[in-house]
Amino acid sequence: MQNVVDARSRPKGFSASSVPPEGDDSLRLPSITNPIAVGSGVVVGGTALTIIAGPCSVEGRGMINDTACAVRRMGAHALRGGAYKPRTSPHSFQGMGDAALDLLAEARAESGLPIVSEVMDPRHVERMASVVDVLQIGARSMQNYALLAEVGRARVPVLLKRGLSATIQELLHAAEHVRVQGNESIILCERGIRTFEPSTRNTLDVSAVAVLKSETHLPVIVDPSHAAGSAPLVTPLALAAIAAGADGLLIEVHPAPASAMSDGDQSLDFAAFEDLMRRLTLVASAVGRTLTVQRMVA
């Protein structure tokens, strides 16, 4: 099995794996990126960008089905939706739990989009792996080693978010905890880190995208929603991420953000998401990427 880093990244305990050839065009994908299939016809890490969109949490059947079909029409490639939600306050909405998994399965059948959902507890991995297409490890769980080991044994693609205060090296070590259990289908996600700056919810570390793309063969995506904390900032951060070399985006989209049960302030409504997709096409072309849109038939 290939380690998650190559010879240019030398944290203790890792061995060199591969070094990209010299003279690569800066607009081309690094040759070491290994594309990962996350559903029928959906790949993360290829020349084409992958857009994962949907609500922070599943709130009901109509809401998740409407969102799934809407983002699919606008060009999204996968649906995100939380069943279990880690919240700072124990009094905040914690998600619908197991019932949400059934609704996500229905939404996949309705829209054709593969499902990405966060798993928080090793005891939930088996059940979630039987339903979702990608198991997400949230920022708070990046160093939950029992959970990392369990998803590593699940053989379902894993989307691993960088911790709030984690270094890039710590993120790579977390990915290695998954890999050593036999699961090499790992997608890294930069979602902003905690700094002294209060203007945004987190500070998006755009440089992390470039560093990770040079040090690992794993696909790298960006979550501008959690970095921004404010819907008007999501689009510019998303465009910056793609310009920096990200393989895709994880975007929070809600049919009525003002009434969302979680993260409404940073969620795009359908019109804003459609505008983002239009802008992404222009930026993707400028940096040698493509944005393939497979629209649903009305």
Side-chain angles (χ1 to χ4, degrees):
M1 292 188 294
Q2 186 178 15
N3 286 359
V4 300
V5 293
D6 72 13
R8 287 168 297 176
S9 178
R10 295 178 291 274
K12 184 178 180 181
F14 285 108
S15 61
S17 57
S18 61
V19 180
E22 296 181 1
D24 280 354
D25 186 332
S26 62
L27 296 184
R28 295 173 55 198
L29 279 173
S31 59
I32 56 174
T33 300
N34 291 345
I36 293 174
V38 299
S40 179
V42 178
V43 173
V44 182
T47 302
L49 301 177
T50 304
I51 310 301
I52 306 167
C56 172
S57 55
V58 177
E59 299 171 6
R61 175 177 285 106
M63 170 266 196
I64 193 62
N65 284 343
D66 289 348
T67 302
C69 292
V71 298
R72 172 67 189 268
R73 283 196 304 271
M74 298 168 193
H77 307 96
L79 175 70
R80 61 158 294 156
Y84 301 92
K85 296 304 300 177
R87 306 302 298 279
T88 302
S89 170
H91 304 294
S92 299
F93 177 61
Q94 306 288 311
M96 294 178 63
D98 197 64
L101 296 177
D102 294 331
L103 297 182
L104 286 168
E106 291 180 19
R108 176 175 52 204
E110 180 75 15
S111 66
L113 294 177
I115 302 298
V116 180
S117 192
E118 180 173 357
V119 60
M120 297 169 51
D121 190 320
R123 295 170 297 180
H124 298 158
V125 170
E126 183 177 4
R127 161 66 171 149
M128 290 193 67
S130 70
V131 177
V132 307
D133 300 280
V134 180
L135 292 169
Q136 177 182 309
I137 302 295
R140 294 175 176 87
S141 299
M142 191 205 82
Q143 291 179 310
N144 181 337
Y145 300 119
L147 180 59
L148 296 177
E150 195 65 26
V151 299
R153 290 187 285 266
R155 302 301 191 271
V156 174
V158 174
L159 192 161
L160 178 62
K161 284 194 170 188
R162 183 182 181 184
L164 281 71
S165 300
T167 65
I168 291 174
Q169 186 176 106
E170 288 168 338
L171 173 61
L172 292 174
H173 277 295
E176 187 72 354
H177 275 275
V178 177
R179 188 198 69 83
V180 296
Q181 297 299 327
N183 191 345
E184 296 192 348
S185 297
I186 306 165
I187 303 162
L188 302 178
C189 181
E190 162 61 33
R191 46 79 71 199
I193 53 177
R194 180 172 290 170
T195 69
F196 56 81
E197 176 53 59
S199 298
T200 54
R201 181 174 179 178
N202 295 284
T203 298
L204 182 62
D205 186 3
V206 177
S207 65
V209 176
V211 172
L212 289 168
K213 293 293 289 184
S214 70
E215 294 191 353
T216 176
H217 62 278
L218 302 177
V220 180
I221 69 171
V222 168
D223 176 354
S225 301
H226 279 85
S230 174
L233 299 178
V234 171
T235 291
L237 293 185
L239 299 178
I242 298 305
D247 296 303
L249 299 168
L250 183 66
I251 304 287
E252 289 192 344
V253 179
H254 194 284
S259 61
M261 300 181 74
S262 58
D263 286 350
D265 289 345
Q266 64 195 38
S267 298
L268 301 182
D269 60 20
F270 294 163
F273 179 67
E274 187 169 31
D275 180 66
L276 169 60
M277 294 297 288
R278 179 182 61 80
R279 293 170 182 258
L280 283 174
T281 301
L282 301 175
V283 174
S285 177
V287 296
R289 307 296 289 268
T290 60
L291 182 61
T292 303
V293 176
Q294 297 178 333
R295 300 186 185 279
M296 292 182 67
V297 177

